[in-house]
Amino acid sequence: MHGLVNRSIQHFLTETYGADLWREAAAEAVLPPEGFEAMLTYEDAQTFLLIDVAAARLRKPAAAIWEDYGMFLVTLEPLRRLMRFSGVDYGDFLASLDELHERAELAVEGIGLPQLSVEMRGDGRVTLRHDPTWPGFGLALAGVLRAMADDYGALALIEPCEGECRVEVELLDAAYSTGRDFVLSARGAA
Amino acid sequence: MDGGGLQEVPLLGLPALAVLMPMAVWVGPDGRIAAAGPTITKVAGRALAGLGFAEVFSADHPGGAGGDVLSPDLQGRRLNLRLRGEEPLLFRGVAAPAGAGQGVIVNLSFGIRASDAVSRNALTGADFAPTDLTVELLYLTEVKAAVMAELAALNRRLRAARDCAEHKAMTDGLTGLANRRGFEAALARAASAARRGRPFSLFLLDLDRFKAVNDTHGHAAGDAVLAAVAQALRQETRGEDLVARLGGDEFALILPGAAGAEALLPLAGRMIAAIERPVAFEGQALSVGASIGIALSDALTDGGADPDRLLAAADAALDAAPRAGRGRAVRARAG
């Protein structure tokens, strides 16, 4: 797992549950206390162990942790902006998810986000399928989709089917509310 | 385009043109703008229809007055155009005939400077055709900046960690003084400075009766004595002086400056006196003495350029100290 992803998980755990939880989980998962380095690569198993350990300590299912992580990512302004680039509205954004892997690779080669396929089934129903390389990815994705729906001002039902590596989305209203502002070029503000 | 033999596409309505090329401009055969796409209009900040193309745009390439956009020679070629105004905006353009006697369609794009143009005009994704990669270019620009920032931060962290590790490697854990490694590095630097005309003096110091303290009172007592010696030496030296513990009960000092024996011998005497003050440890008064050998860089023929020669001179002086009576400082002979 790329250091950037691991770092974002570390940041999520620290910000959401506190530095103590992070320290204890890192120790139990046999990670260095200062945590992950952004530009290095780590064994996948370390990441999954970390989440399992954190989940056990928090007495929550790992699935909930993954979804919360997804929602947390959208609270990071630089990440939220990068995601808003993919679509003018939420429908566009959903359709563009089949390029998610490539967009991420363009940014950081080797970051290795799973490939997604997008099936528009009509009536606002969208099925997203991902390859099984990353347990919990679908749940994290569901968290991202929920938060991005709010960001765009869309109303959507989001249902992860983790066991089958897919997420079902039903877009009920692309313009339910105003959503958040997004300017294409944030020069001077970035 | 492959029309299978058709030379002319059926007339494209202006709304369709606006969808496909929101930054296109239709220039009539009289050189006046017949219609302009929604995005170029937004960027220009005014309606463009009716204005002369050459009034609104100037051509950088092909240059100047020769840049007649209606000219058949220019069709299909890259044009570098400039929107006239207080802050000229640069565009890339290409012109193609609009149909018999209809003038040309000039399609425009921002090129590599997209970021500037987009922010100046507060453009959004909706201002570009879905096939236009300008937005992807902006994404790339932004994500690259974010990644570079992460790399820079990583670099800073690595450098700080390296500096910290280097410092630890040069420091004696017990006393906080430089260790032998740190001393050798400092001596090399001082020798280098001496070669450039900055003399210094070198003190080598051995403790007297330290072994006895260790043997009689144990290692913890010995450590307390060493810490006290370190403290005494720090107090007698200036900020620019280096105090090092070479190991065991050996210490060394590097004192930059041209002080001669008349200042250094008394200084060494004060150090020895400070070291001779008893150290309290667990109700006992522990006492050690010290001998010091001094060598001056400018007393050597090479001016201190060779650190080993200077060390040898200080060592020889140190050896001579006990013969002169314990608790003495001896200065090395010149040469």
Side-chain angles (χ1 to χ4, degrees), chain A residues 4 7 36-40 78 81-83 85-86 88 99 102-104 106-108 182-187 190, chain B residues 114-116 118-119 122-126 128 135-136 138-144 146-148 150-151 154 157-158:
Chain A
L4 274 175
R7 266 262 301 232
F36 298 101
E37 259 305 344
M39 288 305 179
L40 304 178
R81 280 190 57 80
L82 291 176
M83 286 193 261
F85 271 105
S86 345
V88 169
E99 286 181 337
E102 283 78 7
R103 278 180 177 278
L106 255 185
V108 181
F182 171 63
V183 248
L184 266 181
S185 186
R187 283 168 93 85
Chain B
S115 206
D116 279 336
V118 164
S119 65
L123 299 180
T124 73
F128 297 96
V135 175
E136 319 307 350
L138 294 170
Y139 164 78
L140 253 182
T141 308
E142 201 163 309
V143 97
K144 191 200 78 165
V147 171
M148 294 298 279
E150 271 301 331
L151 280 172
L154 170 64
R157 284 193 295 276
L158 287 175

Side-chain angles (χ1 to χ4, degrees), chain A residues 67 90 93-94 97 100 115-121 124-131 134 136-146 156-171:
Chain A
E67 262 202 70
Y90 193 63
F93 168 74
L94 290 174
L97 286 172
L100 179 69
Q115 279 285 3
L116 275 176
S117 73
V118 181
E119 188 191 337
M120 312 295 259
R121 307 209 345 261
R125 271 178 253 267
V126 181
T127 301
L128 300 163
R129 287 190 184 79
H130 60 89
D131 59 44
W134 175 347
F137 176 74
L139 296 155
L141 179 63
V144 167
L145 293 176
R146 281 189 219 289
L157 294 176
I158 306 200
E159 202 194 308
C161 308
E162 183 62 4
E164 291 159 51
C165 289
R166 70 188 157 86
V167 179
E168 297 293 340
V169 181
E170 192 180 338
L171 178 52

Side-chain angles (χ1 to χ4, degrees), chain B residues 221-285:
Chain B
D223 285 355
V225 166
L226 290 170
V229 168
Q231 193 45 23
L233 291 175
R234 275 197 197 94
Q235 270 163 357
E236 294 297 330
T237 50
R238 312 159 296 181
E240 59 265 43
D241 301 327
L242 180 98
V243 186
R245 178 181 169 217
L246 302 182
D249 65 346
E250 291 175 58
F251 292 78
L253 294 96
I254 297 173
L255 302 118
E262 53 299 343
L264 295 174
L265 284 170
L267 172 63
R270 286 197 298 279
M271 287 178 177
I272 292 171
I275 289 169
E276 284 173 346
R277 284 201 291 271
V279 178
F281 179 76
E282 288 179 359
Q284 308 265 22

